[in-house]
Structure formats: C-alpha cells, structure tokens
Amino acid sequence: MTGWKKWLCRLKVLLLSQLRSPFFYLTAVLLIALQLYLGSVSLPAASNRVIGLVNGGGRYAEAVTGALLEKESAYTWKLYPSREALEDAVISGSADSGFVLDERLDAAVDRAESADYSAGSGGVQVPDLSGCIDYYVSTSSTKGAAAKESVYACLFDAISPVLVKSAIRAGVLFEDSGDAVWQRALEEMQRVAEEDTLFSVRFEIYGEEEAPADESADAEKSNLAMIAALLLFAASLLFATAKFRESSKALAIWLRKGGWIYRILEIYAPLLLTGLFLAILLFLQGLPLTPGVLLLIPVLLAAALWTSLFARLFRKEGIYLFLSVALILIAGVLTSSAGDLFFLNSVRWLRFLLPSVWIKGCLLL
C-alpha cells in the first residue's frame, strides 16, 4: 500500500472512530445548539443602522415619528408597537437605540403656548422638553447620540410655529403683538416651508446602490456564516486537545516522521464531520449552499494544520485552553463586522491569518 493510501485509510479510521465517540456527539450537539440560538438573535454590530421609534400618542409624537419615517436618512427608522418591544429590540441588538414619544410633548408645548403675556413678562416661553422623550440605549449602541439630533430637529420643526407665536405675543419680533400679526406670520412661515426656498438638501450616491431588503438579507447571511465560522474555529481548537492525551502521544511517536500528519488528521476528522453538520443546518436556516461550500474540505484541512501548529506551542493543556479562549474572542471581533471599525485599521490585516475568516469566506462565496 502506497503512502497516501495509508493516510487515507488512517483518516477513514479516525472518521469512523468519531462516530463512536460520545465526546464528538456532545461537541456537535453543543455547536448546533449554539448555531441555532445565536442565529436566531440579532448580534450587536457596528453596521446596525436601525433606530427604533414608539408613537405613544399625541399630535407632536405623531408629527415627529411620521417625519422621521418618511424622510431620507442615513438611519433606518423603525416603528415599534410598544415601549417593551423597543426595549427588547435594543437589548437584543436588532435596533441600535430607540426613542419613545408620547403626550408629554403636547403637555409641554401647551403650557408654553398658554402663557399669559398680558402683564408684559418680556420673555419667550420656550417649552420645557426635559423628560418628555425616553431614550433607550445599550452598551453596544454607536449611533444613538447622533440620532438624537434628527429626532429633536423634527421636533423643533413641529413646534416652531408655537415658538414664533410666543415670540410675537411677547413683543420680541414686532411692536404689534395682536392675533392678526402672529396669524399672518404663521401663514408666511407655512408658505416658505412648503416652497422650500431657504433650505435644500441633495443626496448623492457614489457607487452601486443596494435595495434595503437585499442589504438586510445579506447582513443576515453574513451573520449566520460568521457564527458558523467562529464555532468551527472554536471546535478545531477544542479537538486539538487530543495532543495532550497519552494515547495520541504514543501513536505520534510510533509514526515517527509521520506523527505531525497524524496530529493534523486527528483534528481534521471531527472538524470535517462537524462542518458537514453545520453546513446542513445553515442550509435549513436559509443560507444557500453555493459551490464555495465545497471549499470547506480543503479549508478545514488548512484550519486543522493551523490549529495543530498553534497547539505545538504549549506543553500544558491548561495554558493552551486559556489562550484558546482569548484567541476565540479576538477572532470574534476581527471576523465580525466590528472588525471594520476605524480604530482597528492598523491590525485589520490580522483577520486574514485566522481560520475563522477563511471559513466565513467559503460559506459566503
């Protein structure tokens, strides 16, 4: 029997032994459970542009939410049915942050509008909006502070007639503060706003524009592939602990120069079976099985080689496992969309040294 046939036979033995190993089935079930769970939730990501809104009632809440949902924006404004639904979305990461607007806005504006100027108070009554908008944010939110500007810009646009009316009634703008004056001023203000003669915003898109639905679907596929890639990388690190078993050491010594090949196949056999199970699960979750999936066979072999070399750096299993956890956390940042953050520019190239990025690339081809 030639050399390569011997190694194919040994790989076959290793594959069959995995199918009789309780440890392999326990690991496979755990990875499948993690894939199902993590694939069903929206992981916080720097690319998340969804800002949640809740219309709790009132004319100003209706005006602001309507304006935000209709206007073209860098954010994706999404209306949620209740405060609880918005809070869950922000916590789970499906929304970056969120705002609740309700009748407290109407009450604040009405108090300012009904102020008595007959005694010549000499000041414009500006609505006190503190505590009138509830803001929901999580530790992973990155766009909430900037989104506040859009919310309050729409709000002040809605209450600007009240501010103009209050300024006229207080005698700040004109000597005549009668009803006819502020009614004429509001009519002129409305005409200018409708004609859009003062301000104009022009949006220019460079490159190819993708439909929001396609972008959302691509993001979901990328999220599923990223989770599977990280799980397979973690599995390869876990399977490499076989190096520290006495039986594995004895076989590697017996094979002499071929011991390093056996170390790789010892990781590759369970990793290949696990990759097959996860590929089937990804197909059931909606990720199409493209021809790139076939590249998993050589890529997982390369991942097994990478992990085998990494494991050779350690003599004690405890230190190896501790640093493996740290490595998985680093891979999680660099493999996910968080790796595109500007402060990682100097080390972004490191991602291509990690097997998780290779596996993710195969799944998305």
Side-chain angles (χ1 to χ4, degrees):
M1 185 180 293
T2 58
W4 66 271
K5 288 184 178 180
K6 288 182 180 179
W7 286 113
L8 286 178
C9 183
R10 287 164 183 163
L11 176 59
K12 179 181 178 181
V13 172
L14 286 171
L15 289 171
L16 292 176
S17 65
Q18 293 302 320
L19 297 177
R20 295 192 295 266
S21 171
F23 176 74
F24 167 74
Y25 285 110
L26 179 63
T27 305
V29 169
L30 178 60
L31 293 180
I32 290 173
L34 287 173
Q35 178 70 35
L36 286 172
Y37 174 72
L38 296 176
S40 64
V41 299
S42 298
L43 300 180
S47 59
N48 188 4
R49 296 182 298 171
V50 176
I51 308 296
L53 296 171
V54 173
N55 181 1
R59 60 186 186 278
Y60 289 106
E62 181 71 29
V64 173
T65 54
L68 290 172
L69 292 171
E70 292 176 3
K71 68 184 295 187
E72 187 175 359
S73 172
Y75 309 112
T76 303
W77 300 95
K78 183 176 180 179
L79 189 63
Y80 288 88
S82 65
R83 182 187 301 266
E84 292 75 17
L86 173 62
E87 185 176 6
D88 291 342
V90 173
I91 293 175
S92 67
S94 59
D96 178 85
S97 51
F99 301 86
V100 177
L101 302 92
D102 52 32
E103 294 179 346
R104 288 173 294 178
L105 293 173
D106 293 4
V109 176
D110 289 344
R111 284 194 297 269
E113 190 174 13
S114 61
D116 185 11
Y117 292 96
S118 59
S121 57
V124 179
Q125 295 297 318
V126 179
D128 182 9
L129 301 175
S130 58
C132 292
I133 299 179
D134 294 331
Y135 173 50
Y136 285 88
V137 66
S138 69
T139 55
S140 61
S141 299
T142 59
K143 302 173 181 62
K148 282 184 179 180
E149 296 184 9
S150 297
V151 173
Y152 281 97
C154 288
L155 176 58
F156 283 117
D157 182 59
I159 67 175
S160 56
V162 176
L163 298 178
V164 172
K165 178 180 177 181
S166 299
I168 293 175
R169 292 178 62 194
V172 175
L173 296 180
F174 307 107
E175 291 183 0
D176 187 355
S177 59
D179 292 348
V181 175
W182 61 258
Q183 287 178 358
R184 176 65 185 276
L186 293 182
E187 291 175 359
E188 186 66 17
M189 180 179 174
Q190 181 66 25
R191 183 188 66 79
V192 171
E194 291 177 352
E195 292 181 356
D196 195 20
T197 56
L198 294 181
F199 299 103
S200 177
V201 178
R202 183 179 65 183
F203 291 89
E204 294 185 6
I205 299 174
Y206 295 91
E208 296 182 0
E209 182 182 9
E210 297 182 0
D214 294 339
E215 182 180 345
S216 176
D218 290 342
E220 184 177 356
K221 293 176 183 177
S222 178
N223 187 46
L224 290 174
M226 181 266 295
I227 294 170
L230 288 174
L231 290 177
L232 287 174
F233 181 42
S236 67
L237 291 170
L238 180 62
F239 294 141
T241 56
K243 164 186 179 291
F244 301 97
R245 295 198 296 264
E246 293 299 327
S247 59
S248 176
K249 292 179 181 178
L251 277 172
I253 294 172
W254 179 74
L255 290 169
R256 298 181 182 180
K257 293 183 179 180
W260 66 274
I261 302 178
Y262 177 77
R263 295 286 195 200
I264 298 171
L265 295 181
E266 199 174 27
I267 302 170
Y268 181 59
L271 188 61
L272 181 61
L273 292 174
T274 305
L276 176 62
F277 292 156
L278 285 182
I280 295 174
L281 180 59
L282 287 173
F283 175 73
L284 296 176
Q285 287 184 306
L287 189 70
L289 291 181
T290 61
V293 176
L294 296 177
L295 291 176
L296 277 179
I297 297 174
V299 167
L300 290 180
L301 181 59
L305 171 60
W306 190 99
T307 309
S308 177
L309 294 174
F310 178 72
R312 292 186 66 178
L313 300 176
F314 305 93
R315 293 185 178 180
K316 294 184 179 181
E317 185 176 4
I319 298 176
Y320 168 76
L321 290 174
F322 175 78
L323 291 180
S324 294
V325 172
L327 184 60
I328 293 170
L329 294 177
I330 294 173
V333 174
L334 294 178
T335 307
S336 67
S337 59
D340 295 323
L341 294 176
F342 67 92
F343 53 80
L344 292 175
N345 284 339
S346 58
V347 295
R348 190 177 297 177
W349 59 271
L350 288 174
R351 68 174 68 189
F352 300 107
L353 301 179
L354 297 172
S356 55
V357 176
W358 312 340
I359 298 170
K360 179 182 177 182
C362 290
L363 294 173
L364 293 177
L365 281 179

